[in-house]
Amino acid sequence: MTYRPPFLRARIGPRCAPPPAGWRAAARTTYSGTDVEVHVDAAAATRALARTPDGAVGLFFVGSPGGASGPAEDERLLEAYLDEGPGFVRTLNGSFGILVVDMRSQEIIVITDPANTRQLYSSTDGDFTWVASAHAFHSLPVPGNRIDPTAIAQYMVNGIPLNHRTLFEGIRVLEQASVHRFGLSEHSTESYWRYEFHPSSQDREAMADELMELTAAAVRRSVGESERPYVSLSGGYDSPAIACELHRMNIRDVVCFSYEDAGASAKAGRTDAVVARELADGLGYRHELLPAYRSSLFELIRHNVRHGAGLTRLTVESDAWVRIGSSLLEDPESVVLVGEEFYGGPDADLEDEEDVLAFLGIRGWGGLAHLSGTVPAELLREWEGSISMDLREMLGSLPSWHHPHDLKDLLYLHFRLARRLAWREHFAGSFAEVRFPLLDRELLEFMQGVPTEDRRGKRLFQEALIRRYPSRFSAPRATSPGSMIKQWSDQALDEETHAVRERLLDSSSNPLDELVPPTFLLELLSAHSRGPWRQDVLRRSQRKLRRLSHRLTGRGFRSWSARPLAESVLLVRALFLREVLADRLSPGAASAREQ
């Protein structure tokens, strides 16, 4: 059995423009107006299409706006739009992307969800604008195939491009919680919801009770009547809360799965998988333990290229998702529930912006110190300036905040979370529908009123869960396994140094070579092979770089998180980027993917 992920793909352009090449006539829906024509690939959105009888208004969606998808859901959304216009989105929950073609007002409207869990992309090519969901990324044109150097630098340092970038200059992530209106020559964006803090005066115990009731309602909305939940179960609080609520709802047919690195089972302590299995057994749910990675270095990278397509971080858990994917494909009623939330997270003492950025793993140009002396100084200065400008734009776009922990939550929700979640949506989404109950709009709105101290370290959430399920959450939670990407990178490079060297010495060129030359990557490989003494040298050089950057930039805006990344992490990210760009830009690659 196969599962084709639903996606949106539309082209907006001049009236009477020919349909996009390669789109079968039977799979195309065309809406024509006075000046603009919209081609929607209806085959891609067959689960989510509703039209008025006269064909003047069509609505398409991906995801689950308010619950499980189905014909009734399609009609309900269209009726809500006809009654209220785009403002109907304020009543929706869940993860979704919506496209409305309204020829009555000559508008093409695209709506993104509050947390951007279901990302949508936009690209302009001459007179045409393309809009597509992540699954249709490769179908978007890239004018001149221009790689975005700033996005490449961000990917190397932060593991993902930030500030609405993708790896290509011509493709941008549409802003979250917004109504985007497209015409022939203009694109306007209007926010319909903002995450802002307004601490509640509600009694703390009452707040905890309300939080649990909202959590229960969000989980109920995430599972359709005939659907079978698969829960990606950890040993923390988030996904266990979902599993407990499913049990409280008397849903018995639930499959839980966890993954860990190959050596974790031999380590002492309460690992993620051990705590998850205990909970699943206590609830009477089936539990599967999957190895996070067993593939060779380049096989794992190929998994990431196939499923992540450069839109996600390099995912070392890909083997686990491919394994569980076979079970999902055999079960047509399956739906994957992911226990991701943003409020709180691990606690830490944060004093200023730099502490917050370092805590979230958002690095600046200091993380690229390895490139000094290898990459031209002019290019490094360009990257330094563009990454710093991105950060200024990101901070400047956020609502007001009064405490570093407020800034942490805002940055995580607006920029880090969506790109962090994308790998789950891509990998699991290749096999089944993926939903994020704890990012439900009503929960997000409730968290706006929770005081900072009760958001720190998920304090209120944890205490509420312990009160509601004392036997499930009183035991110690899982210990942190540390950085899985660092562990995997070190192990993979140690085992496959020869294969990596051969790949980098290959005479064929790669689109990444001009920005990150193979000679630099070979130096990183050699530095990794020489052992940990290299890190001591780098730490000393970085102290000097940090002092210099403070003098150059002044105290008004410091060079943040100047600590460089490990050579192994930089190298495997660069190897992944090389494979992504070769796959994306090689002749005939796009047409082969369309077959």
Side-chain angles (χ1 to χ4, degrees), residues 215 219 231 233 237-247 249 283 285 337-340 435-438 461 465 473:
T215 300
V219 174
V231 181
L233 193 61
Y237 289 89
D238 306 334
S239 54
I242 294 174
C244 287
E245 290 299 335
L246 291 171
H247 188 265
M249 294 162 53
L283 297 174
Y285 290 158
L337 303 186
V338 176
E340 189 76 45
R435 296 174 192 154
F436 307 96
L438 302 185
F461 187 53
L465 281 172
F473 288 96

Side-chain angles (χ1 to χ4, degrees), residues 197-224:
F197 302 107
H198 43 78
S200 171
S201 59
Q202 188 179 14
D203 174 78
R204 194 168 185 276
E205 187 172 318
M207 266 201 309
D209 290 340
E210 184 178 353
L211 175 56
M212 285 296 93
E213 291 308 312
L214 289 172
T215 300
V219 174
R220 282 195 299 271
R221 279 192 290 269
S222 297
V223 184

Side-chain angles (χ1 to χ4, degrees), residues 29-275:
T29 299
T30 302
Y31 292 83
S32 298
T34 306
D35 301 313
V36 62
E37 187 161 274
V38 184
H39 296 284
V40 181
D41 186 348
T46 50
R47 292 179 56 206
L49 164 64
R51 281 180 285 186
T52 55
D54 61 3
V57 180
L59 184 145
F60 303 80
F61 74 83
V62 286
S64 302
S69 305
E73 184 81 1
D74 305 343
E75 298 301 329
R76 183 183 71 83
L77 292 177
L78 179 59
E79 289 173 5
Y81 172 78
L82 294 174
D83 289 341
E84 304 177 45
F88 84 98
V89 69
R90 297 184 182 92
T91 65
L92 299 182
N93 297 287
S95 170
F96 57 84
I98 296 173
L99 183 145
V100 180
V101 183
D102 192 338
M103 288 296 105
R104 302 172 310 174
S105 58
Q106 296 293 295
E107 286 187 304
I108 296 86
I109 298 168
V110 176
I111 306 174
T112 51
D113 70 40
N116 236 6
T117 52
R118 183 67 61 130
Q119 294 183 342
L120 299 177
Y121 299 83
S122 174
S123 176
T124 301
D125 181 23
D127 292 333
F128 299 99
T129 296
W130 290 73
V131 175
S133 64
H135 293 297
F137 178 77
H138 282 305
S139 299
L140 290 172
V142 183
N145 287 334
R146 294 193 303 271
I147 298 171
D148 183 343
T150 302
I152 295 293
Q154 285 193 11
Y155 204 111
M156 292 281 288
V157 178
N158 293 310
I160 47 174
L162 297 169
N163 203 24
H164 308 294
R165 293 183 185 274
T166 70
L167 296 179
F168 301 96
E169 289 182 346
I171 301 177
R172 301 284 288 186
V173 180
L174 290 178
E175 191 173 333
Q176 68 197 73
S178 297
V179 175
H180 303 265
R181 300 174 188 268
F182 292 90
L184 273 179
S185 59
E186 58 184 20
H187 165 208
S188 65
T189 298
E190 179 183 357
S191 174
Y192 66 81
W193 183 84
R194 281 170 69 84
Y195 188 82
E196 298 178 300
F197 302 107
H198 43 78
S200 171
S201 59
Q202 188 179 14
D203 174 78
R204 194 168 185 276
E205 187 172 318
M207 266 201 309
D209 290 340
E210 184 178 353
L211 175 56
M212 285 296 93
E213 291 308 312
L214 289 172
T215 300
V219 174
R220 282 195 299 271
R221 279 192 290 269
S222 297
V223 184
E225 185 175 341
S226 62
E227 292 178 327
R228 181 176 296 104
Y230 282 66
V231 181
S232 176
L233 193 61
S234 73
Y237 289 89
D238 306 334
S239 54
I242 294 174
C244 287
E245 290 299 335
L246 291 171
H247 188 265
R248 189 184 182 95
M249 294 162 53
N250 204 33
I251 298 178
R252 304 301 180 188
D253 191 7
V254 176
V255 179
C256 299
F257 63 96
S258 309
Y259 44 79
E260 60 184 3
D261 68 273
S265 58
K267 298 175 184 175
R270 292 175 61 77
T271 66
D272 227 34
V274 167
V275 177

Side-chain angles (χ1 to χ4, degrees), residues 506-523:
D506 191 320
S507 59
S508 57
S509 62
N510 185 279
L512 188 65
D513 289 350
E514 287 189 23
L515 297 176
V516 185
T519 52
F520 162 63
L521 300 180
L522 287 168
E523 287 188 18

Side-chain angles (χ1 to χ4, degrees), residues 252-364:
R252 304 301 180 188
D253 191 7
V254 176
V255 179
C256 299
F257 63 96
S258 309
Y259 44 79
E260 60 184 3
D261 68 273
S265 58
K267 298 175 184 175
R270 292 175 61 77
T271 66
D272 227 34
V274 167
V275 177
R277 182 182 290 279
E278 287 179 0
L279 178 65
D281 289 346
L283 297 174
Y285 290 158
R286 192 175 98 211
H287 181 268
E288 296 184 25
L289 176 61
L290 307 171
Y293 48 86
R294 293 192 307 184
S295 302
S296 67
L297 169 64
F298 286 103
E299 185 180 357
L300 189 143
I301 286 177
R302 280 193 293 273
H303 284 163
N304 276 266
V305 171
R306 178 183 176 186
H307 295 285
L311 295 169
T312 75
R313 64 179 174 85
L314 179 65
T315 302
V316 300
E317 301 94 331
S318 59
D319 284 357
W321 285 108
V322 171
R323 285 276 301 278
I324 197 66
S326 60
S327 299
L328 295 170
L329 288 175
E330 293 171 0
D331 186 353
E333 303 301 327
S334 63
V335 58
V336 178
L337 303 186
V338 176
E340 189 76 45
E341 49 87 351
F342 81 99
Y343 33 91
D347 202 5
D349 291 325
L350 305 175
E351 296 183 0
D352 55 24
E353 291 177 352
E354 185 169 355
D355 285 346
V356 173
L357 292 163
F359 183 77
L360 293 177
I362 299 177
R363 291 177 170 85

